[in-house]
Amino acid sequence: MPDNFENFIQQHREEFEMPGPSPRVWDALEKELTNQGKGRVVQLLQKNWFKAAVILVLMINAGALFYFTKHKQHQQELAVIAPEMQEAKAYYTSRINEKLQLINAYPVDELGLDSTARKELELRNDTYKALEKELKNNPGNERIRAALVRYYQLKLDLLDKILEELQQKRATPGHTKKQYEAEI
């Protein structure tokens, strides 16, 4: 039997050393590939685009819901931790915002403040955020409460001084930039 096998190999050696499949096999593969049409991946996307859109909308809604509940919880935390601080915050915030509106009514050239100084005038700067964070970490600490109230008072005093200086320079808050430039 081994001799027959070796004879068969020697007789058909050229066929074994052929570089690839026969042309018949290639023709059959080409016919099979052209008959398939669109790929399966593309078909799946076409059928399920609506499902993908629904999932995307649900994910966006979940993110928005998470953000708003976290933000609302953040606001309620201060009211629960220190209700009297919530009242002080509301009072001082309204006063500070009124003063800021009056200051922002002046032309930028008249103010003489760069963008960094204007940002520091806003209520929620880094100092405020640090004090609020400390109050949440130590709600019973009277020194932190006093520091937060003092911060509000200093902010109001600073805004009052800025308004006094602006009024002394003869500019009125009702003036717009164009009216101010026309006077000059």
Side-chain angles (χ1 to χ4, degrees), residues 81-82 84-85 135 139-149:
I81 291 172
E84 67 279 356
M85 289 304 297
L135 182 63
N141 193 335
E142 291 297 322
R143 295 176 85 193
I144 296 173
R145 291 177 186 207
L148 193 57
V149 169

Side-chain angles (χ1 to χ4, degrees), residues 38-91:
K38 295 181 181 178
R40 179 143 173 84
V41 174
V42 174
Q43 288 176 351
L44 285 176
L45 287 177
Q46 286 178 349
K47 289 179 184 177
N48 297 323
W49 70 269
F50 184 72
K51 293 176 186 175
V54 168
I55 290 172
L56 180 67
V57 167
L58 288 175
M59 299 231 355
I60 290 171
N61 284 340
L65 182 64
F66 177 76
Y67 172 77
F68 287 121
T69 56
K70 198 69 155 167
H71 183 68
K72 188 174 182 180
Q73 181 183 17
H74 174 72
Q75 288 179 343
Q76 289 175 348
E77 283 178 4
L78 188 59
V80 171
I81 291 172
E84 67 279 356
M85 289 304 297
Q86 186 67 20
E87 293 172 16
K89 178 182 177 181
Y91 170 74

Side-chain angles (χ1 to χ4, degrees), residues 74-75 78-79 85-94 96-97 119-136 144-145 147-153 155:
H74 174 72
Q75 288 179 343
L78 188 59
M85 289 304 297
Q86 186 67 20
E87 293 172 16
K89 178 182 177 181
Y91 170 74
Y92 284 113
T93 301
S94 66
I96 289 171
N97 286 334
K119 188 175 181 180
E120 280 299 314
L121 287 179
E122 297 296 324
L123 178 63
R124 295 188 168 268
N125 61 13
D126 294 334
T127 306
Y128 176 82
K129 289 176 186 175
L131 284 171
E132 195 173 55
K133 183 178 177 183
E134 283 299 317
L135 182 63
K136 287 178 185 173
I144 296 173
R145 291 177 186 207
L148 193 57
V149 169
R150 184 70 180 140
Y151 168 80
Y152 288 135
Q153 292 170 345
K155 182 70 76 173

Side-chain angles (χ1 to χ4, degrees), residues 105-178:
Y106 285 96
V108 177
D109 297 337
E110 180 69 21
L111 287 176
L113 300 172
D114 61 354
S115 61
T116 307
R118 290 183 71 123
K119 188 175 181 180
E120 280 299 314
L121 287 179
E122 297 296 324
L123 178 63
R124 295 188 168 268
N125 61 13
D126 294 334
T127 306
Y128 176 82
K129 289 176 186 175
L131 284 171
E132 195 173 55
K133 183 178 177 183
E134 283 299 317
L135 182 63
K136 287 178 185 173
N137 292 338
N138 303 308
N141 193 335
E142 291 297 322
R143 295 176 85 193
I144 296 173
R145 291 177 186 207
L148 193 57
V149 169
R150 184 70 180 140
Y151 168 80
Y152 288 135
Q153 292 170 345
L154 289 173
K155 182 70 76 173
L156 276 175
D157 289 344
L158 176 65
L159 294 174
D160 283 336
K161 287 180 183 176
I162 291 172
L163 281 171
E164 284 177 21
E165 285 187 26
L166 288 171
Q167 289 170 354
Q168 288 175 358
K169 287 184 179 180
R170 199 190 104 233
T172 59
H175 281 160
T176 62
K177 289 180 187 178
K178 291 181 181 177

